[in-house]
Amino acid sequence: TTSHAGRLSAAVSCVALSSNGHRIAFYSASEMSIQVWQLGEGAFGGLGSFLRSRSRCIKKLKVGPIADMAPVLSAGGGVAAVLKNCRMKWVKEKTLMLTRED
């Protein structure tokens, strides 16, 4: 998630960069949220602009809790299961598809 200064402050479980390079999305399993950032433009646009704080968070979405975490936990659970199973991709210019840790 973002802090009050507009920076990422939670553990990032997966990331997706849009095909045109104008947006980047982050999913945090620990905070059950997705953030979408508009990347800055210009000479240092794209991902470089995100790293230089020339970008802004344009959307923050909360996702509901996973009903049954038992299968995830029994399969080794924890951070390793989250990182192994989480996937996110842009399916349209403004549409993301998230596969969560369950």
Side-chain angles (χ1 to χ4, degrees):
T1 61
T2 57
S3 67
H4 294 292
R7 297 191 177 131
L8 286 172
S9 61
V12 174
S13 304
C14 61
V15 177
L17 181 64
S18 65
S19 61
N20 64 9
H22 294 165
R23 290 188 177 93
I24 191 167
F26 300 92
Y27 168 63
S28 171
S30 62
E31 295 217 350
M32 296 184 300
S33 68
I34 297 171
Q35 287 185 32
V36 179
W37 288 69
Q38 179 73 41
L39 300 178
E41 296 184 21
F44 297 105
L47 191 54
S49 70
F50 179 76
L51 299 173
R52 291 176 183 80
S53 299
R54 293 187 179 138
S55 300
R56 61 188 178 93
C57 183
I58 58 172
K59 186 168 271 194
K60 184 174 180 180
L61 306 165
K62 287 297 245 179
V63 296
I66 294 173
D68 185 9
M69 283 294 289
V72 175
L73 297 174
S74 66
V79 175
V82 170
L83 296 176
K84 179 181 177 186
N85 297 321
C86 284
R87 300 286 180 265
M88 188 166 45
K89 69 178 182 175
W90 292 90
V91 292
K92 294 183 182 176
E93 183 180 340
K94 295 183 179 181
T95 305
L96 282 166
M97 184 170 67
L98 172 65
T99 303
R100 294 176 68 186
E101 56 275 17
D102 62 341

